[in-house]
Each structure stands twice: as structure tokens, then as C-alpha cells.
Amino acid sequence: MSSALLQAFSMVFEPYTILVMILASLFGLFVGAVPGLSATMAVALLVPVTFFMQPIPAIAAMVTATAMAIFSGDIPGCLLRIPGTPASAAYTDEAFALTRKGQAEMALGAGLVFSAVGGLFGTAVLIVASPALAEFALNFSSFEYFWLVLLGLTCAVFITSDRPLKGLITLMLGLLVACVGLGNPAGFPRFTFGNTDMTGGIGMIPMMIGMFAISEVIRFAVDTLPPGEVVVDKVGSVLAGQWRLAKKYPVQILRGSALGTAVGALPGAGADIAAWMSYATSKKFSKEPEKFGTGHVEGIVESGSANNSALAGAWIPALVFGIPGDSITAIVIGVLYMKNMNPGPTLFTTNPQNIYAVFMLFIIANIIMIPLGILCIKVAKRILKVPRNVLMPLILIFCIVGTFAINNSVFDIGVMLVAGIVAYLLEENGFPIAPAILGVVLGGMLEENFITSMIKSDGNLLAFFMRPIAAGLAVVTLLVWLVPIMRGVLGRRPVAA
């Protein structure tokens, strides 16, 4: 263990890795601070760059860019009332109300400091929980993995959408895309329509770049709304008063961090859902709920903690089971496979130095967030003045070049553009795209484990319930399916006169 720790230390603190983290941090701060550009988009744009890096610098770039983007999304939300990232939307009105009161530095400082605190809490849970879960997961067979993947897909539908039916439709779309090509247990070409480019399946990375980056470019092109108006000319010291807030709201910080980590670990949830749930929880248990929405910092403290703790939480199922906790880790899993760091319990036993390096990267990313975040806030007004009609064409060019560079394939560019158009149309009509991404990522794993299990059991479906862990996962999965259906049936019964 000590040798693995020393090896991880040398990989993380190598000058090249540190330089990558600083550049990725600045990139993440910029992307998060520009309204409409999400943390997921930041990671998607980094994929072509990480293609040419060693595994640890590649992961370092993604971890730091994500953490910075989630925080810096608070900046335009606070100053413009336009959330920079979806995770910032939960408390944008609250932060903007504080800005109108002349307390922009309090709102931004709370977002910065407690994002770092939440991130470190989530990292601590990741460090403690992941190895124990990995040891437990070594007992898993194809039966357990089948139910685990099915549970992950189910949670994605019910958690990521207030309209589960729409979530189910996009999930099925993702599973359909996962069926394309020869990459199935039978090795039979499916849905290729005689196109040789499709025999290898639909590329996951081009599809993700399209769904998260190209869709935003399209959204900007058709957007007719005027930009928001900055209501503050200068921002004071963002650290002033944060210690007082920490002493006043310790329960809220702990609750937000714990909830964020737990929600992040649920497949398909992520920082966006964590922030909304945490803000709602904060209001429900607050001693001053009437102040929420009028410029009350309590909700920002708790939601800010939940944001970044969810990022670390999402890596728990990604590293241990290869199941993404959110759309960001879905992209990261693709990169891990490219770098021969296949996620799963064996990663902890065969390459422990890589896991220790990931833990260190999370700690460093959350520590350097504070000084770099302060710098970003100081120049926020200039960042917000970057004309998006200049930025978006550059992003489009970068996406096209980066997607082509992955496989030197024009077909991948077509996949990216079609995926962008489809994602834009889905989101405009209220369909969440996260279940579609999870369907693509997990579809192959679901089918492979089902076929393997059927071969093992000689076609006996009862075998899926015979092993204790598999039976437990099956019960939980079926309950998640049946409870909403039963509620709907009971809710429709006529009341007796």
C-alpha cells in the first residue's frame, strides 16, 4: 500500500499533471461562468484533448474542470440571474436577490467556500466507501450486475425527471442506440442498414459531445431573448463573513454535503438534482422559511455544499461498478476505457496507485478552487462580456475537429451533429437527455449480463432471484417500479359517498 501511495503521489505531483490541473481549472471556470455552458459540456470538450494524455493527467483535467465549472456557474446566476450551469439554477433567484441588496460578495463567497467544503466531504466518503464497496462487489456475478444495472436505469428515469414517462422514452432511445452494430453477445449486425461504419456501433464520445455541446450551439442560434443586465459594478471581499456563516449553519453544511453525496451516488442523478433537493430540504427545515427567495443565504450554503459533494459521490458507482452516477461520469467512464483503466472492483486490486491518484486529484481540485475561484470572481464582469456569437462558432469548430481526431472518421462528425439536433429537440419538448446517455452507456452491459446469466442458468428465470444479493437488488428494483404504479392506481379510485 505504501509503495502504491508513493507512486500515486509522484504521478499527481508531476509538473505536467499540475500544469494540466491549472489549465483545466481555468477552462472549467470560464465554461461554468458563461451562461448556457454546462460542466458536462466542459468535460465533453476536454475528451479530444485527453485522448493524447496519460491516464492520470487526463482524469486530472476532467476532475478539476468539473469542480470549477459547477462553482463558477454561480457567478452569472448571481450577477445576471442566468444560471451558468443547471446545478446553479436551484438558488439563482436567491443569489440575485442578495446581489440586489448589495450583498453579491456574500452570495458568491458562500457558493465558493461551501462548494469546496462539500467537495472535500464527498471526497472523504469516496475514499472511505469505494474500497469497501469494491471488496463487496468482487462477490458479484452476472446476476447481481444485471439487477444493479437495471436499478441504475430505473433510478435514472424516476430521479432525473418530474415526468417519468418522458424519461422512460429517452431511456429506451438510448438502449436502442446501444443495440446498433456487432458489439452484442451474438456478434450479429443489428440496425446497421448495410452501412459498414455502423457495424462498430454508434460512438459514445461523439454522441455525448453532440448531445451536450452541439445542442447548446443550436440553442444559442435560435435564442431570441435579450441578454440579462448586470446589476453590480464591483464585488468586495468574498471571504469576509464566511466563517460566521459556517458557525451559524453547521447542520445545513453537513446535511447538504451528505445529501449531495448520497444523491450523486444514485445513477443518473448528479449535481443538478442534488442542488434542487438540498435547497428544498433547507427551506423545509429552516427556522426562517419565509425569508427564502428574498435574499437569504441559508439555502445557498446548503445547496452549494450539495453541488460539489455530488460530483465525488457520482464517482463511487462509476469506479466500483462501472455505472455512471451522472452524465459527467458517463463521459469519464468512456475515457477510462480508452486509457485501459476499466472501471470495476478489480481496478482497486490491480492498479491501486491509479485509485489513490484519483483520490488525491479530488482533494487538490477542491483546495485550489478557493484561490482560483476568488480570481475568477474578480474578473467575472469581463468573462460575462465575452460575446457568445464569437464563442459558439469556436466551440462548434473545436467539437468538429476533436470528434474527427478520435477515430479520423467523418462518420463520427455526422453522429455528433445528428445527436446534437436530436438532443435539442428532446430538451425543447421537455424530454431529459440524461436517461438516453445512461441507456447508451449501460445498454451493452445490461444485455451482456442478461445473456450470460441465461446461459449459466440454462434459461431458468428463477435463477435471477436465487442468490441473496441478487434477490435483494431484485426486490428493490421491483419496488421502485411498482410503488409509483400502485400510487397512481389508488389515486384514481373514486371516493365513496
Side-chain angles (χ1 to χ4, degrees):
M1 180 176 174
S2 57
S3 61
L5 275 171
L6 287 173
Q7 195 176 346
F9 192 87
S10 64
M11 287 191 293
V12 170
F13 288 95
E14 185 188 13
Y16 176 70
T17 306
I18 297 297
L19 177 63
V20 166
M21 291 187 78
I22 292 171
L23 293 176
S25 297
L26 296 174
F27 172 71
L29 287 168
F30 176 76
V31 170
V34 176
L37 308 189
S38 64
T40 308
M41 183 176 175
V43 174
L45 289 171
L46 280 174
V47 170
V49 179
T50 58
F51 188 70
F52 304 101
M53 294 181 184
Q54 291 297 314
I56 299 307
I59 295 170
M62 295 189 161
V63 168
T64 49
T66 305
M68 301 298 169
I70 290 290
F71 152 68
S72 64
D74 296 352
I75 297 173
C78 182
L79 302 182
L80 293 174
R81 200 171 170 265
I82 303 174
T85 62
S88 306
Y91 48 89
T92 291
D93 286 341
E94 201 76 71
F96 191 69
L98 277 166
T99 299
R100 286 196 174 278
K101 289 181 176 180
Q103 298 176 335
E105 60 275 359
M106 180 184 286
L108 289 170
L112 173 61
V113 171
F114 299 112
S115 284
V117 171
L120 290 170
F121 180 93
T123 303
V125 175
L126 174 67
I127 292 170
V128 173
S130 294
L133 274 174
E135 192 172 337
F136 174 67
L138 286 171
N139 299 317
F140 277 36
S141 68
S142 58
F143 296 100
E144 285 81 9
Y145 271 110
F146 169 77
W147 286 114
L148 192 66
V149 172
L150 203 57
L151 179 61
L153 293 171
T154 305
C155 288
V157 170
F158 287 104
I159 292 171
T160 60
S161 176
D162 56 349
R163 296 178 180 175
L165 182 58
K166 288 189 172 183
L168 180 63
I169 290 170
T170 52
L171 173 65
M172 291 301 174
L173 182 64
L175 291 173
L176 178 64
V177 171
C179 290
V180 175
L182 288 165
N184 55 77
F188 184 81
R190 297 188 301 200
F191 305 113
T192 59
F193 304 103
N195 187 330
T196 53
D197 287 311
M198 294 180 72
T199 53
I202 302 297
M204 183 173 66
I205 303 299
M207 183 177 168
M208 287 184 179
I209 292 175
M211 294 192 92
F212 291 108
I214 301 301
S215 62
E216 288 297 339
V217 174
I218 297 171
R219 190 169 288 107
F220 166 75
V222 301
D223 186 18
T224 56
L225 295 175
E229 180 183 356
V230 180
V231 298
V232 63
D233 291 323
K234 63 178 181 178
V235 177
S237 173
V238 295
L239 295 182
Q242 297 307 316
W243 178 244
R244 180 176 55 82
L245 290 179
K247 289 193 293 184
K248 187 176 181 180
Y249 299 120
V251 174
Q252 285 81 349
I253 297 167
L254 182 61
R255 189 170 59 207
S257 300
L259 179 64
T261 306
V263 172
L266 291 172
D272 309 353
I273 307 299
W276 283 103
M277 288 179 66
S278 187
Y279 184 80
T281 304
S282 182
K283 185 176 181 180
K284 183 173 183 179
F285 291 101
S286 174
K287 295 177 181 177
E288 306 169 303
E290 70 282 355
K291 290 186 179 180
F292 278 69
T294 64
H296 188 48
V297 77
E298 182 180 350
I300 298 175
V301 168
E302 187 159 342
S303 298
S305 302
N307 269 358
N308 274 49
S309 63
L311 297 180
W315 279 68
I316 296 173
L319 290 175
V320 177
F321 301 110
I323 296 175
D326 58 5
S327 51
I328 293 170
T329 45
I331 299 173
V332 169
I333 285 173
V335 174
L336 289 174
Y337 277 114
M338 282 199 300
K339 301 297 180 186
N340 291 321
M341 278 180 64
N342 296 3
T346 54
L347 183 62
F348 290 76
T349 53
T350 56
N351 294 299
Q353 69 277 5
N354 289 336
I355 290 296
Y356 295 146
V358 171
F359 295 158
M360 290 180 190
L361 292 173
F362 267 97
I363 294 170
I364 296 168
N366 285 288
I367 290 173
I368 65 174
M369 182 193 298
I370 292 179
L372 290 176
I374 292 171
L375 177 66
C376 181
I377 290 169
K378 292 296 182 186
V379 297
K381 288 192 67 179
R382 292 186 181 180
I383 292 176
L384 294 171
K385 287 179 181 177
V386 173
R388 295 189 76 206
N389 58 350
V390 172
L391 182 68
M392 287 299 180
L394 290 175
I395 287 175
L396 179 60
I397 292 169
F398 188 81
C399 289
I400 292 171
V401 173
T403 300
F404 179 78
I406 295 173
N407 294 314
N408 291 331
S409 170
V410 176
F411 178 75
D412 284 349
I413 297 175
V415 169
M416 177 194 71
L417 295 173
V418 171
I421 294 169
V422 171
Y424 169 75
L425 293 173
L426 286 172
E427 288 190 306
E428 286 298 300
N429 290 282
F431 288 86
I433 61 171
I437 293 295
L438 288 169
V440 174
V441 173
L442 299 180
M445 189 187 298
L446 181 72
E447 182 182 16
E448 184 179 341
N449 283 299
F450 177 74
I451 297 297
T452 303
S453 300
M454 291 296 284
I455 292 171
K456 283 181 184 176
S457 64
D458 198 23
N460 182 13
L461 288 172
L462 291 177
F464 284 89
F465 302 88
M466 288 180 178
R467 293 167 61 94
I469 299 175
L473 290 169
V475 169
V476 173
T477 305
L478 294 173
L479 281 175
V480 172
W481 289 358
L482 294 174
V483 168
I485 295 172
M486 293 301 293
R487 279 181 180 171
V489 172
L490 293 173
R492 290 196 188 107
R493 282 188 178 179
V495 181

Coordinates of all heavy atoms in Angstrom, one line a residue, residues 119-133 261 309 311-320 348 355 358-360 362:
G119 N -17.2 19.5 -1.5 CA -16.4 18.7 -2.4 C -15.4 17.8 -1.5 O -15.2 16.6 -1.8
L120 N -14.9 18.4 -0.5 CA -13.9 17.6 0.4 C -14.7 16.6 1.2 O -14.2 15.5 1.4 CB -13.2 18.6 1.3 CG -12.2 19.5 0.6 CD1 -11.7 20.6 1.6 CD2 -11.0 18.7 0.1
F121 N -15.9 16.9 1.6 CA -16.8 15.9 2.3 C -17.0 14.7 1.4 O -16.9 13.5 1.8 CB -18.1 16.5 2.7 CG -19.0 15.6 3.5 CD1 -19.0 15.5 4.9 CD2 -19.9 14.8 2.8 CE1 -19.8 14.6 5.5 CE2 -20.8 13.9 3.4 CZ -20.7 13.8 4.8
G122 N -17.5 15.0 0.1 CA -17.8 13.9 -0.8 C -16.5 13.1 -1.1 O -16.6 11.9 -1.3
T123 N -15.4 13.8 -1.2 CA -14.1 13.0 -1.5 C -13.8 12.1 -0.3 O -13.4 11.0 -0.5 CB -13.0 14.0 -1.7 OG1 -13.3 14.9 -2.7 CG2 -11.7 13.3 -2.0
A124 N -14.0 12.6 0.9 CA -13.8 11.7 2.1 C -14.7 10.4 2.0 O -14.2 9.3 2.3 CB -14.1 12.5 3.4
V125 N -15.9 10.6 1.7 CA -16.8 9.5 1.5 C -16.4 8.6 0.4 O -16.4 7.3 0.5 CB -18.3 10.0 1.3 CG1 -19.2 8.8 1.0 CG2 -18.8 10.8 2.5
L126 N -15.9 9.2 -0.7 CA -15.4 8.4 -1.8 C -14.2 7.5 -1.4 O -14.1 6.3 -1.8 CB -15.0 9.3 -3.0 CG -14.3 8.7 -4.2 CD1 -15.3 7.9 -5.0 CD2 -13.8 9.9 -5.1
I127 N -13.3 8.1 -0.6 CA -12.1 7.4 -0.2 C -12.5 6.3 0.8 O -11.9 5.2 0.7 CB -11.1 8.4 0.5 CG1 -10.6 9.4 -0.5 CG2 -10.0 7.6 1.2 CD1 -9.8 10.5 0.1
V128 N -13.4 6.5 1.7 CA -13.8 5.5 2.7 C -14.7 4.4 2.1 O -14.5 3.2 2.3 CB -14.5 6.2 3.9 CG1 -15.1 5.1 4.8 CG2 -13.6 7.1 4.6
A129 N -15.7 4.8 1.3 CA -16.7 3.9 0.8 C -16.2 3.1 -0.4 O -16.6 1.9 -0.5 CB -18.0 4.6 0.4
S130 N -15.5 3.7 -1.3 CA -15.1 2.9 -2.6 C -14.4 1.6 -2.3 O -14.8 0.6 -2.9 CB -14.4 3.9 -3.5 OG -15.1 4.9 -3.9
P131 N -13.3 1.6 -1.6 CA -12.6 0.3 -1.4 C -13.5 -0.7 -0.7 O -13.4 -1.9 -1.1 CB -11.4 0.7 -0.5 CG -11.2 2.2 -0.7 CD -12.6 2.7 -0.9
A132 N -14.3 -0.4 0.3 CA -15.2 -1.3 0.9 C -16.2 -1.9 -0.1 O -16.5 -3.1 -0.1 CB -15.9 -0.7 2.1
L133 N -16.8 -1.0 -0.9 CA -17.8 -1.4 -1.9 C -17.1 -2.3 -2.9 O -17.7 -3.2 -3.4 CB -18.4 -0.2 -2.5 CG -19.6 0.4 -1.8 CD1 -20.0 1.7 -2.5 CD2 -20.8 -0.5 -1.8
T261 N -23.8 13.9 -1.6 CA -23.0 12.7 -1.8 C -23.9 11.5 -2.1 O -23.7 10.7 -3.0 CB -22.1 12.4 -0.6 OG1 -21.3 13.5 -0.3 CG2 -21.2 11.2 -0.9
S309 N -20.3 18.1 -3.5 CA -20.2 16.8 -2.9 C -20.8 15.7 -3.8 O -20.4 14.5 -3.8 CB -20.9 16.8 -1.5 OG -22.3 17.0 -1.7
L311 N -20.5 15.6 -7.0 CA -19.6 15.2 -8.0 C -18.7 14.0 -7.6 O -18.5 13.1 -8.3 CB -18.6 16.4 -8.3 CG -19.3 17.6 -8.9 CD1 -18.3 18.7 -9.2 CD2 -20.0 17.3 -10.2
A312 N -18.2 14.1 -6.3 CA -17.4 13.0 -5.8 C -18.3 11.7 -5.6 O -17.9 10.6 -5.9 CB -16.8 13.4 -4.5
G313 N -19.5 12.0 -5.1 CA -20.4 10.8 -4.9 C -20.7 10.1 -6.2 O -20.8 8.8 -6.2
A314 N -20.8 10.8 -7.3 CA -21.1 10.2 -8.6 C -20.0 9.2 -9.0 O -20.2 8.3 -9.9 CB -21.3 11.2 -9.7
W315 N -18.7 9.5 -8.5 CA -17.6 8.6 -8.9 C -17.6 7.3 -8.2 O -16.9 6.3 -8.6 CB -16.3 9.3 -8.6 CG -15.9 10.3 -9.7 CD1 -16.5 11.5 -10.0 CD2 -14.8 10.2 -10.6 NE1 -15.9 12.1 -11.0 CE2 -14.8 11.4 -11.4 CE3 -13.8 9.3 -10.8 CZ2 -13.9 11.6 -12.4 CZ3 -12.9 9.5 -11.8 CH2 -12.9 10.6 -12.6
I316 N -18.4 7.1 -7.1 CA -18.4 5.9 -6.3 C -19.0 4.7 -7.2 O -18.3 3.7 -7.4 CB -19.2 6.0 -5.0 CG1 -18.5 7.1 -4.1 CG2 -19.4 4.7 -4.3 CD1 -19.3 7.4 -2.9
P317 N -20.2 4.8 -7.8 CA -20.7 3.7 -8.6 C -19.9 3.6 -9.9 O -19.8 2.6 -10.5 CB -22.1 4.1 -8.9 CG -22.2 5.6 -8.7 CD -21.2 5.9 -7.6
A318 N -19.3 4.8 -10.4 CA -18.6 4.8 -11.6 C -17.3 3.9 -11.5 O -17.0 3.1 -12.4 CB -18.2 6.2 -12.1
L319 N -16.6 4.1 -10.4 CA -15.3 3.4 -10.2 C -15.5 2.0 -9.7 O -14.8 1.1 -10.2 CB -14.4 4.1 -9.1 CG -13.8 5.5 -9.6 CD1 -13.1 6.1 -8.4 CD2 -12.9 5.3 -10.7
V320 N -16.5 1.8 -8.9 CA -16.7 0.4 -8.3 C -17.5 -0.5 -9.2 O -17.1 -1.7 -9.4 CB -17.5 0.6 -7.0 CG1 -17.8 -0.8 -6.4 CG2 -16.7 1.4 -5.9
F348 N -9.4 -1.7 -8.1 CA -8.8 -1.4 -6.8 C -7.7 -2.4 -6.4 O -6.9 -2.1 -5.5 CB -9.9 -1.4 -5.8 CG -10.9 -0.3 -5.9 CD1 -11.9 -0.3 -6.9 CD2 -10.8 0.8 -5.0 CE1 -12.8 0.8 -7.0 CE2 -11.7 1.8 -5.1 CZ -12.7 1.8 -6.1
I355 N -6.1 4.5 -8.4 CA -7.2 4.9 -7.5 C -6.8 6.0 -6.5 O -7.4 7.0 -6.2 CB -7.8 3.7 -6.8 CG1 -8.5 2.8 -7.8 CG2 -8.8 4.1 -5.7 CD1 -9.7 3.4 -8.5
V358 N -6.5 9.3 -8.1 CA -7.8 9.9 -8.3 C -8.3 10.6 -7.0 O -8.8 11.7 -7.0 CB -8.9 8.9 -8.8 CG1 -10.3 9.5 -8.8 CG2 -8.5 8.4 -10.2
F359 N -8.1 9.9 -5.9 CA -8.5 10.5 -4.6 C -7.7 11.8 -4.3 O -8.3 12.8 -3.9 CB -8.2 9.5 -3.4 CG -9.0 8.3 -3.5 CD1 -8.6 7.1 -2.8 CD2 -10.2 8.2 -4.2 CE1 -9.4 5.9 -2.8 CE2 -11.0 7.0 -4.2 CZ -10.6 5.9 -3.5
M360 N -6.4 11.8 -4.6 CA -5.6 13.0 -4.4 C -6.0 14.1 -5.3 O -6.0 15.3 -4.9 CB -4.1 12.6 -4.7 CG -3.4 11.8 -3.6 SD -1.7 11.4 -4.1 CE -1.3 10.2 -2.9
F362 N -9.0 14.8 -6.4 CA -10.2 15.4 -5.9 C -9.9 16.3 -4.7 O -10.4 17.4 -4.7 CB -11.2 14.3 -5.4 CG -12.2 13.9 -6.4 CD1 -12.0 12.7 -7.2 CD2 -13.3 14.6 -6.6 CE1 -12.9 12.3 -8.1 CE2 -14.3 14.2 -7.6 CZ -14.0 13.1 -8.3

